[in-house]
Amino acid sequence: MKLFDDPLFQFLADRALELINRGGAEYGECVHVAEQIPAGDRDAWHRAWTATAARVAAAAEASAAHGHRVSAVDGFWRATTYYRVSYLPLFGSPVDPRLVESFRRESECFRRMAALADRPVELVEIPFEGTTLPGCLCLPDGDRTVARPTLLAVNGYDSNIHEMYWSHAVPAVRRGYACLLVDGPGQGRTLIEQGMPIRPDWEDVLRPVMDYAAGRPEIDASRVAAMGWSFGGFLAPRGASGEHRIAALVADPGLMDLVEGLQLPKEVRDRVPDVDPGEMGELLAPVVENPVARWALVQRALWVHGLDTLGEYVIETDRYRLSRVAEQITCPTLVCGNDDDPLAAQAQLLFEKLTCPKDLAYFRKAEYGKLGHTQAWNRSMFDQRVFDWLDDTLGVTPAAT
C-alpha cells in the first residue's frame, strides 16, 4: 500500500496502514491524508493527520451522544491511530509542543474508546520508583472473580500502550487471556510527559509490574507470559533473566546485543565501549544520510536514551547486551523472527544462546508473503502460532469464542 515516494513518510504511514485489518485505520482516510502532504513537509504531515483525527473523533463523539456505542468505539479507535501517526516525524529533543498535544489527544480518544468497549479495558497506574507507569488491563469479559492466564506486553522504542492494544490485547482477550499493557521508562507517556529515558535493567521494571499483577484478582500470577515486540525483543528477555515469576516468554523478534545492529566495522564494535565518541559519530555519518536511519537514530534513539550525540549512543549500546544474561532466562521461551524483518537477524543467535526450554518460530516470506517488522502485515498468522504455543506452554484450555 504505497502512499509516499518519500521513504520516511512511507515508513511512518505504514504504522497506520498495518492497523486496517483490525479496525485501527481506513485505507481511504489514509489516502486522503497522503494527498494533502507535499514531499518532505513534516508540518503538513502533522496538520493533515491531526485534521483527519479530529474529524473522525468528532463523528465518534456524535455517535456516542446518540447512544451508538459500536460506531463511537470504531471512530475513537481510528482517531487514536491518526493522532499517534501525526507526531512520529516530530520525534526528538527538545520535545515539540505539537507532539505533546497530539499525544494527549491520542490518549483521550483511547480513553473514550476504552470506556465504551464491549470487553473491559481499564486504564491503570502501576507504582514505580516514586512515580507510576501507565498501563491498561484488558479482560475477555466482565467477570472479575476469575484469575486468568495473562499476557504482559512489553513495548519497543517508539510505540505505546495504545498501539499495543491492537497487536497484543485484541488477540489475547479473544482467546480468554487477560492482557496487561505497560509503558516502561522511555516509552509512551513516560517519555513524552514524564521525561524518563529508557534503561537496560528491565528486570527492575518488570518486578514492580509483576507485583502489581499479583495483586489483581483478574490475573493468575502463576501464568503470566511476557511478550516483547520490536525493541521489546531485547527488553522482555532481559526482564525475564532477572524476574523469574514470568512463566513464559515471547521475543518478537529475538534480539541479542544492541551494538550489533549498528553499521559499524566489526573491529570497532568489538571495542565498544572503549571508543572515541567523535570517531563513532563520523563512522555513522554516512548511515544517517538515509532518512529512515536518521529518524531512527538521530531523532528517536537520542531522545529515548536522553543523549546528545551518536558517539554517546554507540557507547550506551554496551549496556544493552543480552548475550551477558541470556543463560539466566529459565522460563519456556519462544523466539520469533522473519526474513522480511532486518531486526530479526539476531533471532537465531538468541535462540542458540538460551539454555531454557525453547522454540523458534521463524516465518519465511516465500511461504507467508509480505511480513514486515514484527510480522505487522500478517499478525493473524503470527497470533495463531504464538497463542497456540502459549496455550500449550501455560496449560490453557483454548477459549470457545
Side-chain angles (χ1 to χ4, degrees):
M1 298 180 183
K2 186 174 181 180
L3 298 182
F4 297 96
D5 292 326
D6 183 309
L8 176 61
F9 278 9
Q10 182 61 44
F11 173 74
L12 299 178
D14 283 347
R15 299 287 284 272
L17 296 171
E18 290 161 355
L19 273 66
I20 289 173
N21 70 328
R22 289 195 174 158
E26 283 286 0
Y27 181 67
E29 289 172 340
C30 293
V31 171
H32 177 65
V33 170
E35 290 173 344
Q36 303 173 57
I37 303 174
D41 190 335
R42 300 187 184 196
D43 293 334
W45 171 285
H46 181 259
R47 287 194 302 270
W49 284 105
T50 54
T52 294
R55 177 182 59 78
V56 172
E61 286 288 6
S63 292
H66 290 87
H68 304 300
R69 183 188 59 81
V70 173
S71 296
V73 167
D74 288 351
F76 285 127
W77 183 216
R78 299 200 318 280
T80 298
T81 299
Y82 300 151
Y83 275 125
R84 181 173 59 256
V85 173
S86 78
Y87 60 73
L88 293 177
L90 306 179
F91 270 29
S93 181
V95 182
D96 192 312
R98 295 173 296 174
L99 187 158
V100 177
E101 178 61 24
S102 292
F103 172 75
R104 289 174 177 169
R105 293 183 181 184
E106 171 196 0
S107 300
E108 176 60 17
C109 287
F110 186 84
R111 185 191 68 79
R112 296 286 285 123
M113 184 277 292
L116 296 168
D118 58 352
R119 289 185 169 108
V121 180
E122 179 187 352
L123 296 174
V124 300
E125 296 290 332
I126 299 172
F128 179 76
E129 297 184 355
T131 182
T132 60
L133 302 177
C136 183
L137 179 60
C138 306
L139 301 174
D141 57 52
D143 187 349
R144 294 179 178 267
T145 66
V146 178
R148 308 173 190 276
T150 300
L151 182 68
L152 170 57
V154 178
N155 218 335
Y157 253 132
D158 52 50
S159 185
N160 58 36
I161 57 175
H162 311 141
E163 188 172 28
M164 283 201 298
Y165 175 80
W166 76 268
S167 58
H168 292 68
V170 168
V173 299
R174 288 181 61 203
R175 291 166 169 84
Y177 287 75
C179 184
L180 181 59
L181 311 170
V182 182
D183 282 336
Q187 301 171 327
R189 190 193 76 192
T190 66
L191 175 68
I192 295 170
E193 294 191 339
Q194 295 170 254
M196 297 170 59
I198 202 167
R199 50 196 275 184
D201 58 335
W202 222 250
E203 64 276 16
D204 292 332
V205 177
L206 287 192
R207 193 166 295 119
V209 174
M210 284 299 297
D211 290 344
Y212 175 85
R216 295 291 307 226
E218 306 94 334
I219 293 177
D220 180 349
S222 70
R223 293 194 292 175
V224 174
M227 184 195 301
W229 74 333
S230 194
F231 192 52
F234 169 90
L235 298 173
R238 170 63 191 259
S241 74
E243 172 46 80
H244 296 292
R245 286 177 291 179
I246 300 296
L249 170 67
V250 179
D252 172 34
L255 301 177
M256 184 66 83
D257 294 345
L258 184 57
V259 70
E260 295 300 322
L262 298 178
Q263 297 179 36
L264 294 171
K266 184 178 185 304
E267 64 88 13
V268 174
R269 296 198 306 269
D270 290 345
R271 287 192 287 116
V272 172
D274 299 319
V275 294
D276 175 60
E279 178 192 1
M280 296 303 98
E282 293 175 4
L283 285 172
L284 284 176
V287 175
V288 298
E289 289 179 2
N290 176 289
V292 176
R294 182 171 184 80
W295 178 84
L297 293 175
V298 177
Q299 290 186 239
R300 182 187 65 176
L302 295 186
W303 178 34
V304 170
H305 287 270
L307 302 171
D308 295 320
T309 69
L310 287 174
E312 293 174 323
Y313 174 69
V314 173
I315 294 173
E316 174 74 358
T317 62
D318 185 62
R319 301 173 65 212
Y320 294 81
R321 292 187 186 269
L322 194 56
S323 58
R324 294 169 176 164
V325 298
E327 294 176 350
Q328 298 174 26
I329 298 171
T330 58
C331 63
T333 297
L334 179 65
V335 178
C336 303
N338 77 71
D339 53 11
D340 194 31
D341 183 355
L343 256 66
Q346 299 181 39
Q348 185 67 38
L349 294 176
L350 174 59
F351 180 75
E352 293 173 357
K353 186 74 171 177
L354 293 171
T355 57
C356 58
K358 60 186 179 180
D359 289 286
L360 180 67
Y362 201 86
F363 306 101
R364 301 291 178 183
K365 187 176 181 180
E367 183 177 0
Y368 295 103
K370 184 174 178 61
L371 293 161
H373 182 42
T374 67
Q375 297 73 237
W377 295 112
N378 197 338
R379 289 295 291 193
S380 296
M381 169 275 303
F382 172 81
D383 294 340
Q384 178 184 12
R385 175 69 177 87
V386 169
F387 281 96
D388 287 1
W389 181 86
L390 285 173
D391 285 350
D392 295 340
T393 300
L394 297 176
V396 174
T397 302
T401 58

